[in-house]
Amino acid sequence: MVVAYVMVKAHTGEADRLKNDIEAIDGVVSAHIVAGDVDIIAKVEVDSPADVKDIAATTVQNLDGVEDTRTYVAME
């Protein structure tokens, strides 16, 4: 099992809608709106690093209202 955290920067006013869209993605186990440099942190649990890439670099980045993402893979 690979665990990763996807930090999402949303366009102004899009965080609530994006949170729901991100939570609906297969492999995303939770998403939270946060204060700070990013707007949403999503936790991903999948079978492989390639699945993380598919979720973060393809699915999340292509959602309308996403400005930027950063992904961190857990090492333990």
Side-chain angles (χ1 to χ4, degrees):
M1 175 80 47
V2 178
V3 176
Y5 297 90
V6 181
M7 312 298 160
V8 180
K9 179 72 176 162
H11 292 295
T12 303
E14 296 289 335
D16 288 326
R17 182 189 56 78
L18 277 173
K19 177 184 176 287
N20 293 331
D21 291 350
I22 292 167
E23 286 179 324
I25 297 169
D26 192 35
V28 173
V29 295
S30 64
H32 303 277
I33 295 174
V34 298
D37 294 336
V38 297
D39 300 299
I40 299 167
I41 298 175
K43 182 178 181 182
V44 175
E45 292 183 1
V46 290
D47 292 329
S48 72
D51 293 334
V52 172
K53 180 181 178 243
D54 185 50
I55 290 171
T58 304
T59 307
V60 174
Q61 284 187 358
N62 286 324
L63 291 173
D64 187 42
V66 171
E67 184 177 321
D68 192 25
T69 64
R70 287 181 278 155
T71 303
Y72 300 89
V73 176
M75 300 303 287
E76 56 178 33

